[in-house]
Amino acid sequence: MQLEHTAVLFIDLINDFNFERSEKLLHHTKEILPHLQRLKAFAKKNNLPIIYVNDHYDLWQSDFKKIIDHCTNEYSHEVINAIKPDDDDYFFIKPKHSAFFQTPLQSLLTQLKKTHLILTGIAGDICILFSAKDAYMYEYSLHIPENCMASNEKQGNAYALYLMRSVMNANTQPI
């Protein structure tokens, strides 16, 4: 991996964790939080672009401060405070599961001349999997660290990692 061609994506980490079965996802997200923080510090130190792509929560504005205000509650505050975007990070909203679907992500990555992506976030068996599929179709090389991805169910997370390794040729080694 050449760092000058690398971008880091944090997917759906600004989350209210206020939905059915969210307690499992919140628990699993807290488990990966130290690894996400370490990756973010590494990216900052090495001047890698950090790109947050997040659900819109019916706000439909790419304003991470509004999304944070909307999502912060008794469940989410620890995760949001630990990994929220900085003012110099990129932030996009997405209408569906993939970080690429109907977002400017592909255009930004092209402009930045990035060909290698480190994908992280939640939910691994849905949004990370769909984003990885699209990234693979766009011919990006992928690192999806298994210790930086969480899903509601550990089994679903493991199966998504298997698919990303075997079908999308992703490196899933922990960071």
Side-chain angles (χ1 to χ4, degrees):
M1 168 181 67
Q2 296 179 341
L3 288 180
E4 69 266 16
H5 299 294
T6 300
V8 177
L9 273 68
F10 288 114
I11 299 172
D12 287 339
L13 288 169
I14 310 304
N15 194 300
D16 65 6
F17 296 100
N18 191 16
F19 50 88
E20 187 177 333
R21 298 183 323 155
S22 64
E23 63 281 346
K24 285 184 177 183
L25 182 60
L26 177 59
H27 175 74
H28 297 151
T29 302
K30 287 181 179 180
E31 290 177 344
I32 67 169
L33 201 51
H35 308 292
L36 294 169
Q37 290 174 302
R38 192 170 62 247
L39 175 59
K40 185 171 182 175
F42 173 83
K44 292 286 185 185
K45 179 181 176 190
N46 290 282
N47 295 313
L48 303 180
I50 297 173
I51 307 165
Y52 286 78
V53 185
N54 215 89
D55 286 336
H56 55 77
Y57 292 94
D58 289 328
L59 297 176
W60 288 106
Q61 295 175 345
S62 286
D63 181 339
F64 73 83
K65 292 175 183 171
K66 285 183 180 180
I67 303 269
I68 286 172
D69 286 345
H70 178 81
C71 289
T72 301
N73 59 42
E74 63 186 296
Y75 312 111
S76 65
H77 68 90
E78 180 182 347
V79 172
I80 290 173
N81 288 335
I83 200 67
K84 65 185 173 190
D86 296 323
D87 287 334
D88 61 341
D89 295 331
Y90 298 95
F91 184 87
F92 299 130
I93 57 170
K94 61 184 181 64
K96 290 286 185 183
H97 309 304
S98 173
F100 287 90
F101 181 72
Q102 295 184 353
T103 74
L105 180 59
Q106 170 66 15
S107 295
L108 174 64
L109 293 169
T110 299
Q111 181 178 346
L112 296 174
K113 297 178 176 37
K114 302 304 176 188
T115 57
H116 181 76
L117 305 179
I118 301 173
L119 295 182
T120 70
I122 57 177
D125 58 349
I126 303 170
C127 298
I128 308 302
L129 180 62
F130 282 65
S131 298
K133 184 270 306 173
D134 284 349
Y136 178 76
M137 296 295 287
Y138 284 122
E139 299 183 351
Y140 290 98
S141 61
L142 297 170
H143 184 185
I144 306 164
E146 63 185 32
N147 62 347
C148 291
M149 183 179 101
S151 301
N152 282 16
E153 302 294 335
K154 294 267 187 179
Q155 182 180 10
N157 207 61
Y159 186 64
L161 285 163
Y162 162 76
L163 288 173
M164 290 182 272
R165 268 192 314 274
S166 63
V167 176
M168 297 162 220
N169 203 26
N171 171 2
T172 61
Q173 293 297 311
I175 57 159

